[in-house]
Amino acid sequence: MKIGFIGLGIMGRPMAGHLLAAGHGLYSCINRTPLAEELQKAGVVTCSDPAAVAAEVECVILMLPDTPDVDHVLFGPDGVTTGLRPGTIVMDMSSIDPIATRDFAKRIEDLGGAYIDAPVSGGEVGARNASLTIMCGAKAETFEKVKPLLEAMGKNITLVGNVGAGQITKVANQIIVALNIEAVAEALLFASRAGADPARVREALMGGFAASRVLEVHGQRMIDRSFAPGFRLSLHQKDLNLALSGARTLSLSLPGTASAQQLMSSCVANGGGDKDHSALVEALELAANHKVSG
């Protein structure tokens, strides 16, 4: 299949690489010369803008930071819709607002295209290893058409429901992950401040009911002070903003989510937005005047 891939960042580049390795033709639009040259050497056809990408391909994949970015790439000047051909599938793998997603889908369908929201979980490691969890919202026939592409990038692939269901699931995922990070951070901070070795505490907890992937990976990051981004804290903050915005619309109370969002906002305000989301621990450390490690 001829595929357009727009958004070749930390996640997008390895995901696109798996599609290339699977034999698909890949098109993108990159203005940064060194990266464009690197992609061309890998076999990516570089185009002038999203419209030019859409004019060449059967499926356009987006992997962008936020709702306004998707809006601009789809509907802005020289956007995807300017070059969209009837029957083209737009697959948004970004994590954005579910309500906006449904509006984007209607506008694409009105132009003769098809739409699927397919946000992912698994971070940079999952993108590199083609082991992402992919949560999809689409018509069944659209999902079946792109399923081979999804299988090249991920392992746990689920059609949750109609358009928007994928984004709803991703927001739920981000709530769970954020609260787990906060819980691990509080537990390790408590252990360290009380005089126990947080590394040994983590090791002990990994053998019990408190064991989790977050405790395993992000607990170790907190102890090692290793906050190079696998998933940027500012992006997780954005996802929690989506959760709280949706909760207000639904007249729903999400107190744990609000707590995690405030801690992430504190980190961003102190210059930590580009750190890994495990750096949430730094907001708690600042309030306690004590670090988990060192």
Side-chain angles (χ1 to χ4, degrees), residues 44-260:
V44 178
V45 178
T46 54
C47 302
S48 58
D49 49 49
V53 172
E56 296 289 340
V57 302
E58 303 160 71
C59 177
V60 179
I61 297 175
L62 308 180
M63 190 63 182
L64 300 167
D66 204 348
T67 308
D69 304 296
V70 174
D71 191 354
H72 178 73
V73 167
L74 288 178
F75 307 108
D78 300 316
V80 166
T81 52
T82 305
L84 192 74
R85 298 178 299 169
T88 301
I89 298 171
V90 173
M91 178 158 64
D92 182 24
M93 304 190 77
S94 320
S95 296
I96 69 168
D97 182 2
I99 296 173
T101 291
R102 289 171 176 153
D103 174 62
F104 296 165
K106 184 180 185 305
R107 293 164 72 182
I108 293 295
E109 290 166 358
D110 287 345
L111 293 170
Y115 199 94
I116 173 170
D117 54 301
V120 305
S121 179
E124 183 183 4
V125 172
R128 288 201 314 266
N129 295 336
S131 60
L132 293 168
T133 291
I134 308 178
M135 307 151 245
C136 303
K139 294 177 180 176
E141 57 268 28
T142 304
F143 175 74
E144 290 302 324
K145 286 178 182 177
V146 299
K147 192 173 180 181
L149 306 182
L150 299 171
E151 290 172 341
M153 297 180 283
K155 296 295 183 187
N156 180 23
I157 301 162
T158 306
L159 177 60
V160 181
N162 292 326
V163 168
Q167 297 295 354
I168 292 169
T169 307
K170 179 60 188 288
V171 171
N173 178 86
Q174 296 302 78
I175 291 171
I176 293 170
V177 173
L179 268 62
N180 268 269
I181 292 174
E182 181 178 355
V184 168
E186 290 189 10
L188 295 182
L189 182 62
F190 168 79
S192 177
R193 187 67 181 83
D197 179 351
R200 297 299 296 274
V201 170
R202 173 189 165 278
E203 181 182 345
L205 294 177
M206 282 302 298
F209 201 56
S212 70
R213 184 68 173 158
V214 170
L215 178 61
E216 177 187 0
V217 176
H218 292 329
Q220 191 65 56
R221 283 176 174 266
M222 295 172 193
I223 292 164
D224 294 341
R225 320 307 295 174
S226 176
F227 298 132
F231 185 71
R232 291 203 309 274
L233 193 148
S234 60
L235 291 179
H236 204 152
Q237 178 203 30
K238 175 264 299 183
D239 292 339
L240 296 189
N241 289 341
L242 292 175
L244 294 174
S245 174
R248 285 192 294 272
T249 301
L250 297 167
S251 299
L252 182 66
S253 174
L254 299 177
T257 303
S259 171

